[in-house]
Amino acid sequence: MPSAAPHDRLPLAFGGDYNPEQWPQEVWEEDIRLMREAGVTMVSLGIFAWSRIEPRPGEYDFEWLDLIIGMLHEAGILVDLATPTVVPPAWFYRAHPEALPVTREGVRLAFGSRGAICHSDPDYRAAAANITSRIGERYGRHPAVVMWHVHNEYGAPVLTCFCDTCAQAFRAWLQDRYGTLGALNQAWGTAFWGQLYDDWEEIGVPRATPTVGNPAHQLDFQRFADGQARANFVAERDILHRLSPGVPVTTNFMVAPSQCQSIDYWEWAKEVDLVTNDHYLITDGRRTHVNLALAADLTRSVAGGAPWLLLEHSTSGINWQRHNPAKEPGQMARNSLGHVARGSEGAMFFQWRQSRSGAEKFHSSMLPHGGTGTRVWREVTDLGRRVADLADLRGTRTRADVAMVWSWDSWWAQGLEWRPSEDLDARERLDAFYEALYDRHLTVDFFPPAGLGEIDPSRYPLLVVPQLYSAPASVAADLERYVSRGGTLLVSFFSGIVDEHDTVHPGAYPGALRDVLGLTVEEFDPLLPGERIAVRTSHGDSWEADLWSEYVVPGDGCETVAVFADGRTAGRPALTRRALGDGAAWYLATRLSGADLAAVVDLALADAGVMPLDLPRDVELVVREGESGVFRFAVNHTGADVKVVLPDGSRAAVPAGAVEVFREPR
């Protein structure tokens, strides 16, 4: 487990990834002068520098790193020093080609990118431990080094490897997890299709098969791959804890489901001393600031509500999507301060100086190719001053209004083959419900499926389950406890269906959630592409649904609020409410979008007694509070000036596209 490393030396961070190995020394001097001009307080250093630090096996060149760390320290700029284990050198792969990952189809990937690693390979693990030890021994007590940055973006671009070494490690992992083959056969349901195992050596990794493979096998392999990478992080972390006591160790997460699916961040958060995150706007036609807010809320939740750090985002356009537009004037500050509002202890970027060569030379940076005469540079220096002015909010926490459930493990399970509809998409439902809450100007805390019974309804009067296909049996009692104590629960379809082994819960759907919702589902009835059905409420309102319908049978005490008005499920409940103890549990048995989904969310909010803020659309008001006071962030994503009402009744102006922070002393 992580050490109790203090964060007192960490400033409200402003800066970015710095790659001096790409530049001659005279550029370093200019960089540091400009960093001071921009208000940079910290840089991430050495992330991709293994080949520069160890140019040949066992030969080390620290002279350049000594020099740049010394220059930064003299300038008062702190260092987040990396272990460069995301890109082993070419000489390593020449000696150990088996350390390159193998695809499911049996193709071994080649060197020449980044993150081409088999996390089970013993030679990689030994080399990573060695370079980490060398760097830790040299800089573990350097006064400039205030944080350690292990590896880089685990899970990108590849996490799983299907080589023979992984197969052997996977078998050991399974033996530790299940103990006996009998237990494994039971958990995996291998009696189906005659897949019973009689010897551990018969079990391989889930490579390409003639048709769909065992889903429980695939799910456990994803957990194994995630655990192998996490074990490598822990190994490096423990070396650094020993060599650099008191200095926090982290690795940069990619918590937004739009960016990474292969990592279970609930588990990873238990191992880092400080949660950090990378976030980039996804230009898929959606409102990018809503995705940003979701990512920041989810990152804060992974951190247990504690402050975290945005370790990477972009000053303007990126370069790895199909289309990469520039950020509009003021958007950099809105993005950065939006993360700060939702708990980040600063705003860091990739990267400081824009690269002239390599795969990311068109990725924006703090210091663009055009230099200090550019709009981006002017906005960077303005933002540096704003971040510095917020130094006293360090340690404050963001105040949330409602809660949601999210599970990477369930997402993995739901994404496997042969579900009732290939268009089922847990991330889409997450985004849709979050957007409805965002548009009511509510801040969200997320929770994993384990321990939901501990959620305090007085703190979180509404708990939303957008889609939880895989739910452990314990979820039933946990949610009943939450609702009976006064909470309002809103559950969407295809939730509670299977257990952690992808085995359908005994009895009728929705399995683990059947009792708390007070209903059963006799049969799923997915809709065909383009098919629409009407939903009509008891008050005569009409909504349009797609993708999904069900044959819902309400039990005693379960009220039908809306029914399917046509289609094969016509007359059946589409939205129900069950009173339970001091609370209520709602169930939505179809997919609604936009204003129709928002209407359902409004019903649940009213039931929970939650009053949304009266603000224009795309204006955020997010609160951080602590011993140093209350900080209200008003973020205006619109093109018009707006006014927000403060607790004293005054109306404060927020210019178009701007962010204003209103402070109240304790």
Side-chain angles (χ1 to χ4, degrees):
M1 293 297 293
S3 70
H7 304 159
D8 294 346
R9 296 176 61 204
L10 294 179
L12 199 65
F14 183 69
D17 287 13
Y18 184 37
N19 299 288
E21 63 271 22
Q22 298 179 15
W23 306 95
Q25 186 175 331
E26 56 267 24
V27 175
W28 301 358
E29 296 169 356
E30 179 187 33
D31 281 337
I32 290 175
R33 177 178 61 81
L34 292 175
M35 285 179 190
R36 296 186 68 177
E37 182 179 325
V40 168
T41 59
M42 185 169 74
V43 296
S44 299
L45 193 67
I47 296 170
F48 304 110
W50 192 341
S51 61
R52 181 70 185 270
I53 295 170
E54 189 179 7
R56 284 164 293 281
E59 296 182 22
Y60 303 95
D61 178 8
F62 286 111
E63 184 177 348
W64 70 277
L65 195 53
D66 290 346
L67 179 59
I68 190 61
I69 291 177
M71 292 169 67
L72 290 164
H73 181 51
E74 185 176 350
I77 298 169
L78 302 173
V79 173
D80 164 34
L81 187 57
T83 65
T85 50
V86 67
V87 183
W91 58 256
F92 172 81
Y93 287 117
R94 184 180 181 187
H96 306 288
E98 70 284 352
L100 289 162
V102 173
T103 68
R104 190 179 184 187
E105 292 72 29
V107 177
R108 191 175 294 277
L109 300 177
F111 173 74
S113 178
R114 67 170 194 178
I117 295 165
C118 167
H119 283 284
S120 300
D121 183 75
D123 293 311
Y124 168 75
R125 289 184 164 194
N130 176 68
I131 194 66
T132 298
S133 296
R134 297 280 181 167
I135 295 171
E137 288 165 357
R138 193 168 189 95
Y139 303 109
R141 299 180 185 274
H142 196 293
V145 176
V146 295
M147 187 165 73
W148 287 100
H149 182 309
V150 169
H151 203 269
N152 184 72
E153 293 182 339
Y154 283 96
V158 61
L159 181 77
T160 52
C161 171
F162 296 82
C163 72
D164 291 340
T165 300
C166 284
Q168 182 179 359
F170 183 44
R171 285 189 287 271
W173 184 89
L174 291 171
Q175 289 181 63
D176 183 64
R177 182 177 179 86
Y178 293 106
T180 67
L181 280 169
L184 179 140
N185 281 315
Q186 178 67 30
W188 283 11
T190 55
F192 186 79
W193 279 0
Q195 296 175 358
L196 286 165
Y197 294 106
D198 191 48
D199 191 298
W200 290 105
E201 292 301 313
E202 295 170 356
I203 304 173
V205 295
R207 296 190 178 115
T209 51
T211 185
V212 173
N214 186 321
H217 184 182
Q218 295 183 68
L219 181 57
D220 264 347
F221 186 70
Q222 180 62 48
R223 293 165 176 155
F224 157 79
D226 179 53
Q228 291 294 92
R230 191 162 64 249
N232 285 349
F233 166 78
V234 168
E236 293 187 45
R237 180 204 68 195
D238 289 349
I239 291 169
L240 296 170
H241 278 171
R242 175 172 54 84
L243 297 174
S244 189
V247 179
V249 182
T250 190
T251 185
N252 44 341
F253 291 175
M254 295 179 292
V255 170
S258 56
Q259 291 181 223
C260 184
Q261 183 175 351
S262 59
I263 299 292
D264 186 344
Y265 288 111
W266 293 118
E267 294 301 316
W268 281 73
K270 299 172 184 177
E271 305 296 347
V272 297
D273 295 324
L274 172 70
V275 167
T276 63
N277 193 53
D278 296 352
H279 182 263
Y280 293 96
L281 301 182
I282 304 300
T283 54
D284 59 359
R286 308 185 195 197
R287 296 154 71 201
T288 57
H289 54 277
V290 181
N291 176 270
L292 184 154
L294 185 157
D297 281 350
L298 186 50
T299 304
R300 181 187 67 254
S301 302
V302 163
W308 53 279
L309 176 60
L310 176 67
L311 207 52
E312 284 185 29
H313 73 312
S314 66
T315 57
S316 190
I318 55 178
N319 75 316
W320 41 264
Q321 299 183 80
R322 291 188 62 198
H323 307 286
N324 299 285
K327 291 184 177 180
E328 64 186 33
Q331 189 176 359
M332 180 201 307
R334 287 202 308 279
N335 290 168
S336 302
L337 296 176
H339 284 289
V340 173
R342 296 176 187 271
S344 176
E345 297 281 70
M348 303 279 284
F349 296 91
F350 179 85
Q351 59 180 323
W352 162 252
R353 179 183 284 269
Q354 196 166 13
S355 300
R356 292 185 57 209
S357 58
E360 295 189 278
K361 56 183 170 288
F362 298 117
H363 192 296
S364 63
S365 68
M366 300 176 77
L367 182 60
H369 291 310
T372 58
T374 59
R375 170 183 69 87
V376 166
W377 174 255
R378 290 190 293 273
E379 291 194 23
V380 163
T381 55
D382 287 344
L383 180 60
R385 286 189 286 271
R386 293 205 68 179
V387 172
D389 288 342
L390 292 170
D392 53 340
L393 68 65
R394 283 184 67 247
T396 60
R397 297 196 173 206
T398 301
R399 180 198 303 166
D401 305 295
V402 295
M404 293 182 76
V405 177
W406 176 248
S407 167
W408 280 276
D409 195 83
S410 177
W411 191 22
W412 297 341
Q414 184 174 323
L416 295 172
E417 305 96 334
W418 288 11
R419 302 317 184 201
S421 170
E422 67 177 16
D423 294 328
L424 284 163
D425 186 344
R427 181 201 152 192
E428 183 276 331
R429 286 292 82 189
L430 170 73
D431 288 343
F433 276 92
Y434 183 89
E435 187 167 7
L437 294 168
Y438 176 93
D439 283 341
R440 275 124 193 87
H441 313 286
L442 299 170
T443 303
V444 178
D445 274 350
F446 290 87
F447 291 89
L452 295 175
E454 301 306 312
I455 296 177
D456 182 358
S458 66
R459 177 71 182 83
Y460 301 100
L462 176 65
L463 175 62
V464 179
V465 181
Q467 207 151 74
L468 186 65
Y469 163 72
S470 173
S474 60
V475 165
D478 284 345
L479 290 181
E480 284 205 27
R481 183 166 185 258
Y482 167 78
V483 175
S484 64
R485 290 186 296 142
T488 299
L489 175 68
L490 173 58
V491 177
S492 182
F493 63 93
F494 209 52
S495 295
I497 307 302
V498 300
D499 66 13
E500 62 271 27
H501 303 300
D502 200 42
T503 297
V504 174
H505 285 289
Y509 307 130
L513 305 184
R514 185 174 57 235
D515 292 340
V516 69
L517 296 173
L519 54 81
T520 58
V521 173
E522 291 184 353
E523 192 175 3
F524 302 138
D525 185 21
L527 306 182
L528 298 176
E531 191 176 1
R532 302 285 189 273
I533 54 175
V535 174
R536 187 164 295 115
T537 73
S538 54
H539 296 291
D541 297 325
S542 184
W543 304 324
E544 184 180 75
D546 68 354
L547 180 68
W548 193 263
S549 65
E550 297 178 340
Y551 292 87
V552 175
V553 179
D556 293 340
C558 182
E559 170 193 0
T560 297
V561 180
V563 298
F564 293 110
D566 55 20
R568 294 176 295 276
T569 53
R572 297 276 186 158
L575 177 66
T576 64
R577 177 186 183 275
R578 182 202 178 197
L580 176 64
D582 294 328
W586 293 72
Y587 181 63
L588 179 61
T590 189
R591 185 171 79 172
L592 300 177
S593 302
D596 293 343
L597 178 61
V600 172
V601 170
D602 283 340
L603 290 172
L605 287 169
D607 206 10
V610 177
M611 293 291 294
L613 296 176
D614 183 16
L615 289 170
R617 191 171 191 257
D618 292 325
V619 176
E620 303 176 25
L621 189 60
V622 183
V623 179
R624 284 185 67 160
E625 55 191 352
E627 292 182 1
S628 58
V630 178
F631 300 79
R632 299 181 189 277
F633 285 75
V635 185
N636 183 0
H637 296 284
T638 78
D641 297 349
V642 300
K643 289 189 176 181
V644 298
V645 178
L646 300 178
D648 63 4
S650 63
R651 296 174 61 84
V654 185
V659 180
E660 297 291 341
V661 183
F662 305 101
R663 309 173 192 231
E664 303 167 21
R666 277 295 192 188

mmCIF file of all heavy atoms in Angstrom, residues 227-261:
data_model
loop_
_atom_site.group_PDB
_atom_site.id
_atom_site.type_symbol
_atom_site.label_atom_id
_atom_site.label_comp_id
_atom_site.label_asym_id
_atom_site.label_seq_id
_atom_site.Cartn_x
_atom_site.Cartn_y
_atom_site.Cartn_z
ATOM 1 N N GLY A 227 -3.919 -6.276 -13.550
ATOM 2 C CA GLY A 227 -3.149 -6.547 -12.334
ATOM 3 C C GLY A 227 -1.663 -6.674 -12.585
ATOM 4 O O GLY A 227 -0.849 -6.276 -11.735
ATOM 5 N N GLN A 228 -1.262 -7.224 -13.755
ATOM 6 C CA GLN A 228 0.166 -7.347 -14.067
ATOM 7 C C GLN A 228 0.806 -5.971 -14.207
ATOM 8 O O GLN A 228 1.902 -5.723 -13.688
ATOM 9 C CB GLN A 228 0.359 -8.147 -15.352
ATOM 10 C CG GLN A 228 0.014 -9.621 -15.246
ATOM 11 C CD GLN A 228 0.936 -10.383 -14.313
ATOM 12 O OE1 GLN A 228 0.650 -10.513 -13.120
ATOM 13 N NE2 GLN A 228 2.030 -10.892 -14.845
ATOM 14 N N ALA A 229 0.129 -5.071 -14.914
ATOM 15 C CA ALA A 229 0.662 -3.714 -15.052
ATOM 16 C C ALA A 229 0.709 -3.018 -13.698
ATOM 17 O O ALA A 229 1.681 -2.317 -13.374
ATOM 18 C CB ALA A 229 -0.191 -2.918 -16.040
ATOM 19 N N ARG A 230 -0.328 -3.221 -12.891
ATOM 20 C CA ARG A 230 -0.363 -2.590 -11.567
ATOM 21 C C ARG A 230 0.754 -3.132 -10.679
ATOM 22 O O ARG A 230 1.364 -2.383 -9.904
ATOM 23 C CB ARG A 230 -1.731 -2.810 -10.927
ATOM 24 C CG ARG A 230 -1.973 -1.983 -9.685
ATOM 25 C CD ARG A 230 -3.454 -1.896 -9.345
ATOM 26 N NE ARG A 230 -4.047 -3.179 -9.006
ATOM 27 C CZ ARG A 230 -4.929 -3.819 -9.765
ATOM 28 N NH1 ARG A 230 -5.311 -3.315 -10.924
ATOM 29 N NH2 ARG A 230 -5.434 -4.987 -9.375
ATOM 30 N N ALA A 231 1.054 -4.430 -10.800
ATOM 31 C CA ALA A 231 2.161 -5.006 -10.028
ATOM 32 C C ALA A 231 3.481 -4.371 -10.423
ATOM 33 O O ALA A 231 4.360 -4.147 -9.564
ATOM 34 C CB ALA A 231 2.206 -6.516 -10.231
ATOM 35 N N ASN A 232 3.657 -4.064 -11.701
ATOM 36 C CA ASN A 232 4.886 -3.395 -12.132
ATOM 37 C C ASN A 232 4.978 -1.986 -11.572
ATOM 38 O O ASN A 232 6.060 -1.524 -11.183
ATOM 39 C CB ASN A 232 4.958 -3.376 -13.659
ATOM 40 C CG ASN A 232 5.318 -4.730 -14.238
ATOM 41 O OD1 ASN A 232 5.719 -5.640 -13.508
ATOM 42 N ND2 ASN A 232 5.187 -4.876 -15.542
ATOM 43 N N PHE A 233 3.845 -1.286 -11.548
ATOM 44 C CA PHE A 233 3.847 0.030 -10.901
ATOM 45 C C PHE A 233 4.245 -0.091 -9.442
ATOM 46 O O PHE A 233 5.086 0.659 -8.939
ATOM 47 C CB PHE A 233 2.477 0.701 -11.007
ATOM 48 C CG PHE A 233 2.339 1.877 -10.070
ATOM 49 C CD1 PHE A 233 2.920 3.088 -10.388
ATOM 50 C CD2 PHE A 233 1.697 1.750 -8.842
ATOM 51 C CE1 PHE A 233 2.846 4.162 -9.500
ATOM 52 C CE2 PHE A 233 1.609 2.810 -7.961
ATOM 53 C CZ PHE A 233 2.191 4.027 -8.293
ATOM 54 N N VAL A 234 3.633 -1.027 -8.728
ATOM 55 C CA VAL A 234 3.896 -1.189 -7.294
ATOM 56 C C VAL A 234 5.370 -1.513 -7.057
ATOM 57 O O VAL A 234 5.979 -1.007 -6.103
ATOM 58 C CB VAL A 234 2.982 -2.275 -6.709
ATOM 59 C CG1 VAL A 234 3.429 -2.681 -5.307
ATOM 60 C CG2 VAL A 234 1.535 -1.781 -6.671
ATOM 61 N N ALA A 235 5.963 -2.322 -7.921
ATOM 62 C CA ALA A 235 7.381 -2.660 -7.761
ATOM 63 C C ALA A 235 8.251 -1.409 -7.859
ATOM 64 O O ALA A 235 9.165 -1.206 -7.043
ATOM 65 C CB ALA A 235 7.793 -3.686 -8.813
ATOM 66 N N GLU A 236 7.983 -0.562 -8.835
ATOM 67 C CA GLU A 236 8.753 0.676 -8.967
ATOM 68 C C GLU A 236 8.445 1.629 -7.813
ATOM 69 O O GLU A 236 9.350 2.283 -7.271
ATOM 70 C CB GLU A 236 8.455 1.336 -10.309
ATOM 71 C CG GLU A 236 8.955 0.548 -11.510
ATOM 72 C CD GLU A 236 8.790 1.310 -12.811
ATOM 73 O OE1 GLU A 236 9.116 2.515 -12.836
ATOM 74 O OE2 GLU A 236 8.333 0.708 -13.807
ATOM 75 N N ARG A 237 7.174 1.708 -7.446
ATOM 76 C CA ARG A 237 6.793 2.574 -6.321
ATOM 77 C C ARG A 237 7.536 2.193 -5.047
ATOM 78 O O ARG A 237 8.051 3.064 -4.326
ATOM 79 C CB ARG A 237 5.286 2.464 -6.093
ATOM 80 C CG ARG A 237 4.760 3.320 -4.950
ATOM 81 C CD ARG A 237 3.461 2.749 -4.393
ATOM 82 N NE ARG A 237 3.675 1.474 -3.710
ATOM 83 C CZ ARG A 237 2.702 0.632 -3.378
ATOM 84 N NH1 ARG A 237 1.452 0.902 -3.700
ATOM 85 N NH2 ARG A 237 2.984 -0.488 -2.735
ATOM 86 N N ASP A 238 7.610 0.906 -4.765
ATOM 87 C CA ASP A 238 8.251 0.473 -3.527
ATOM 88 C C ASP A 238 9.741 0.781 -3.526
ATOM 89 O O ASP A 238 10.319 1.109 -2.477
ATOM 90 C CB ASP A 238 8.006 -1.017 -3.306
ATOM 91 C CG ASP A 238 6.555 -1.326 -2.942
ATOM 92 O OD1 ASP A 238 5.800 -0.372 -2.662
ATOM 93 O OD2 ASP A 238 6.184 -2.515 -2.951
ATOM 94 N N ILE A 239 10.380 0.675 -4.684
ATOM 95 C CA ILE A 239 11.793 1.062 -4.789
ATOM 96 C C ILE A 239 11.943 2.540 -4.447
ATOM 97 O O ILE A 239 12.844 2.939 -3.683
ATOM 98 C CB ILE A 239 12.326 0.766 -6.202
ATOM 99 C CG1 ILE A 239 12.414 -0.744 -6.441
ATOM 100 C CG2 ILE A 239 13.690 1.427 -6.415
ATOM 101 C CD1 ILE A 239 12.682 -1.120 -7.884
ATOM 102 N N LEU A 240 11.080 3.371 -4.996
ATOM 103 C CA LEU A 240 11.172 4.815 -4.766
ATOM 104 C C LEU A 240 10.808 5.187 -3.332
ATOM 105 O O LEU A 240 11.415 6.099 -2.756
ATOM 106 C CB LEU A 240 10.286 5.554 -5.762
ATOM 107 C CG LEU A 240 10.720 5.400 -7.226
ATOM 108 C CD1 LEU A 240 9.673 5.959 -8.164
ATOM 109 C CD2 LEU A 240 12.064 6.084 -7.459
ATOM 110 N N HIS A 241 9.843 4.492 -2.742
ATOM 111 C CA HIS A 241 9.546 4.736 -1.326
ATOM 112 C C HIS A 241 10.773 4.472 -0.460
ATOM 113 O O HIS A 241 11.043 5.205 0.508
ATOM 114 C CB HIS A 241 8.402 3.836 -0.868
ATOM 115 C CG HIS A 241 7.044 4.361 -1.212
ATOM 116 N ND1 HIS A 241 5.894 3.615 -1.055
ATOM 117 C CD2 HIS A 241 6.632 5.564 -1.699
ATOM 118 C CE1 HIS A 241 4.854 4.337 -1.418
ATOM 119 N NE2 HIS A 241 5.269 5.510 -1.820
ATOM 120 N N ARG A 242 11.521 3.448 -0.815
ATOM 121 C CA ARG A 242 12.717 3.102 -0.031
ATOM 122 C C ARG A 242 13.838 4.110 -0.255
ATOM 123 O O ARG A 242 14.519 4.518 0.701
ATOM 124 C CB ARG A 242 13.181 1.700 -0.411
ATOM 125 C CG ARG A 242 14.493 1.255 0.237
ATOM 126 C CD ARG A 242 14.794 -0.205 -0.040
ATOM 127 N NE ARG A 242 14.790 -0.518 -1.458
ATOM 128 C CZ ARG A 242 15.854 -0.343 -2.274
ATOM 129 N NH1 ARG A 242 16.963 0.174 -1.790
ATOM 130 N NH2 ARG A 242 15.777 -0.685 -3.546
ATOM 131 N N LEU A 243 14.041 4.540 -1.494
ATOM 132 C CA LEU A 243 15.163 5.407 -1.824
ATOM 133 C C LEU A 243 14.840 6.892 -1.679
ATOM 134 O O LEU A 243 15.759 7.711 -1.604
ATOM 135 C CB LEU A 243 15.624 5.136 -3.262
ATOM 136 C CG LEU A 243 16.161 3.731 -3.532
ATOM 137 C CD1 LEU A 243 16.439 3.547 -5.024
ATOM 138 C CD2 LEU A 243 17.428 3.468 -2.717
ATOM 139 N N SER A 244 13.570 7.230 -1.657
ATOM 140 C CA SER A 244 13.162 8.632 -1.611
ATOM 141 C C SER A 244 12.026 8.805 -0.609
ATOM 142 O O SER A 244 10.909 9.177 -0.961
ATOM 143 C CB SER A 244 12.716 9.074 -3.014
ATOM 144 O OG SER A 244 12.508 10.460 -3.080
ATOM 145 N N PRO A 245 12.303 8.540 0.664
ATOM 146 C CA PRO A 245 11.227 8.558 1.668
ATOM 147 C C PRO A 245 10.561 9.926 1.778
ATOM 148 O O PRO A 245 11.222 10.960 1.736
ATOM 149 C CB PRO A 245 11.956 8.181 2.962
ATOM 150 C CG PRO A 245 13.400 8.473 2.709
ATOM 151 C CD PRO A 245 13.630 8.239 1.254
ATOM 152 N N GLY A 246 9.237 9.891 1.915
ATOM 153 C CA GLY A 246 8.484 11.128 2.099
ATOM 154 C C GLY A 246 8.086 11.832 0.821
ATOM 155 O O GLY A 246 7.367 12.825 0.872
ATOM 156 N N VAL A 247 8.562 11.339 -0.339
ATOM 157 C CA VAL A 247 8.213 11.970 -1.611
ATOM 158 C C VAL A 247 7.111 11.149 -2.272
ATOM 159 O O VAL A 247 7.287 9.950 -2.485
ATOM 160 C CB VAL A 247 9.436 12.078 -2.537
ATOM 161 C CG1 VAL A 247 9.045 12.717 -3.871
ATOM 162 C CG2 VAL A 247 10.541 12.896 -1.872
ATOM 163 N N PRO A 248 5.969 11.746 -2.580
ATOM 164 C CA PRO A 248 4.847 10.967 -3.131
ATOM 165 C C PRO A 248 5.176 10.368 -4.496
ATOM 166 O O PRO A 248 5.883 10.961 -5.306
ATOM 167 C CB PRO A 248 3.713 11.989 -3.224
ATOM 168 C CG PRO A 248 4.377 13.321 -3.222
ATOM 169 C CD PRO A 248 5.626 13.175 -2.409
ATOM 170 N N VAL A 249 4.623 9.190 -4.730
ATOM 171 C CA VAL A 249 4.815 8.460 -5.983
ATOM 172 C C VAL A 249 3.455 8.309 -6.654
ATOM 173 O O VAL A 249 2.479 7.909 -6.014
ATOM 174 C CB VAL A 249 5.438 7.078 -5.735
ATOM 175 C CG1 VAL A 249 5.676 6.347 -7.061
ATOM 176 C CG2 VAL A 249 6.743 7.201 -4.951
ATOM 177 N N THR A 250 3.409 8.599 -7.949
ATOM 178 C CA THR A 250 2.160 8.489 -8.688
ATOM 179 C C THR A 250 2.443 7.952 -10.078
ATOM 180 O O THR A 250 3.582 7.696 -10.458
ATOM 181 C CB THR A 250 1.455 9.856 -8.772
ATOM 182 O OG1 THR A 250 0.132 9.686 -9.286
ATOM 183 C CG2 THR A 250 2.220 10.821 -9.657
ATOM 184 N N THR A 251 1.389 7.761 -10.833
ATOM 185 C CA THR A 251 1.456 7.556 -12.279
ATOM 186 C C THR A 251 0.244 8.239 -12.868
ATOM 187 O O THR A 251 -0.796 8.360 -12.214
ATOM 188 C CB THR A 251 1.491 6.069 -12.654
ATOM 189 O OG1 THR A 251 1.685 5.948 -14.075
ATOM 190 C CG2 THR A 251 0.212 5.348 -12.268
ATOM 191 N N ASN A 252 0.383 8.718 -14.090
ATOM 192 C CA ASN A 252 -0.698 9.509 -14.668
ATOM 193 C C ASN A 252 -1.808 8.614 -15.208
ATOM 194 O O ASN A 252 -1.625 7.840 -16.124
ATOM 195 C CB ASN A 252 -0.191 10.463 -15.754
ATOM 196 C CG ASN A 252 0.791 9.826 -16.719
ATOM 197 O OD1 ASN A 252 1.398 8.796 -16.445
ATOM 198 N ND2 ASN A 252 0.959 10.441 -17.869
ATOM 199 N N PHE A 253 -2.987 8.744 -14.595
ATOM 200 C CA PHE A 253 -4.170 8.011 -15.009
ATOM 201 C C PHE A 253 -4.768 8.642 -16.275
ATOM 202 O O PHE A 253 -4.423 9.758 -16.662
ATOM 203 C CB PHE A 253 -5.239 8.047 -13.912
ATOM 204 C CG PHE A 253 -4.900 7.273 -12.662
ATOM 205 C CD1 PHE A 253 -5.748 7.326 -11.558
ATOM 206 C CD2 PHE A 253 -3.751 6.498 -12.559
ATOM 207 C CE1 PHE A 253 -5.474 6.620 -10.403
ATOM 208 C CE2 PHE A 253 -3.467 5.784 -11.407
ATOM 209 C CZ PHE A 253 -4.334 5.848 -10.324
ATOM 210 N N MET A 254 -5.689 7.929 -16.887
ATOM 211 C CA MET A 254 -6.552 8.459 -17.952
ATOM 212 C C MET A 254 -7.978 8.039 -17.599
ATOM 213 O O MET A 254 -8.560 7.144 -18.205
ATOM 214 C CB MET A 254 -6.141 7.908 -19.311
ATOM 215 C CG MET A 254 -4.756 8.354 -19.761
ATOM 216 S SD MET A 254 -4.312 7.635 -21.354
ATOM 217 C CE MET A 254 -4.152 5.908 -20.884
ATOM 218 N N VAL A 255 -8.534 8.677 -16.592
ATOM 219 C CA VAL A 255 -9.760 8.213 -15.961
ATOM 220 C C VAL A 255 -10.972 8.335 -16.874
ATOM 221 O O VAL A 255 -11.887 7.508 -16.805
ATOM 222 C CB VAL A 255 -9.983 8.966 -14.632
ATOM 223 C CG1 VAL A 255 -11.361 8.688 -14.073
ATOM 224 C CG2 VAL A 255 -8.921 8.553 -13.614
ATOM 225 N N ALA A 256 -11.018 9.325 -17.742
ATOM 226 C CA ALA A 256 -12.193 9.506 -18.596
ATOM 227 C C ALA A 256 -12.451 8.246 -19.415
ATOM 228 O O ALA A 256 -11.566 7.781 -20.128
ATOM 229 C CB ALA A 256 -11.990 10.693 -19.533
ATOM 230 N N PRO A 257 -13.654 7.672 -19.349
ATOM 231 C CA PRO A 257 -13.943 6.494 -20.169
ATOM 232 C C PRO A 257 -13.795 6.752 -21.663
ATOM 233 O O PRO A 257 -13.658 5.812 -22.441
ATOM 234 C CB PRO A 257 -15.396 6.165 -19.806
ATOM 235 C CG PRO A 257 -15.551 6.688 -18.417
ATOM 236 C CD PRO A 257 -14.743 7.956 -18.399
ATOM 237 N N SER A 258 -13.801 8.014 -22.074
ATOM 238 C CA SER A 258 -13.574 8.351 -23.483
ATOM 239 C C SER A 258 -12.132 8.129 -23.899
ATOM 240 O O SER A 258 -11.822 8.155 -25.093
ATOM 241 C CB SER A 258 -13.953 9.816 -23.731
ATOM 242 O OG SER A 258 -13.232 10.674 -22.863
ATOM 243 N N GLN A 259 -11.227 7.913 -22.927
ATOM 244 C CA GLN A 259 -9.809 7.815 -23.250
ATOM 245 C C GLN A 259 -9.185 6.466 -22.923
ATOM 246 O O GLN A 259 -8.196 6.089 -23.548
ATOM 247 C CB GLN A 259 -9.037 8.923 -22.520
ATOM 248 C CG GLN A 259 -9.353 10.296 -23.053
ATOM 249 C CD GLN A 259 -8.595 11.401 -22.358
ATOM 250 O OE1 GLN A 259 -9.161 12.435 -22.053
ATOM 251 N NE2 GLN A 259 -7.335 11.209 -22.109
ATOM 252 N N CYS A 260 -9.707 5.756 -21.956
ATOM 253 C CA CYS A 260 -9.090 4.482 -21.581
ATOM 254 C C CYS A 260 -10.153 3.559 -21.004
ATOM 255 O O CYS A 260 -10.923 3.964 -20.136
ATOM 256 C CB CYS A 260 -7.972 4.696 -20.556
ATOM 257 S SG CYS A 260 -7.079 3.193 -20.130
ATOM 258 N N GLN A 261 -10.162 2.297 -21.497
ATOM 259 C CA GLN A 261 -11.126 1.326 -21.009
ATOM 260 C C GLN A 261 -10.453 0.176 -20.272
ATOM 261 O O GLN A 261 -11.114 -0.575 -19.561
ATOM 262 C CB GLN A 261 -11.940 0.761 -22.183
ATOM 263 C CG GLN A 261 -13.036 -0.214 -21.774
ATOM 264 C CD GLN A 261 -13.904 -0.664 -22.928
ATOM 265 O OE1 GLN A 261 -13.804 -0.139 -24.034
ATOM 266 N NE2 GLN A 261 -14.768 -1.637 -22.688
#
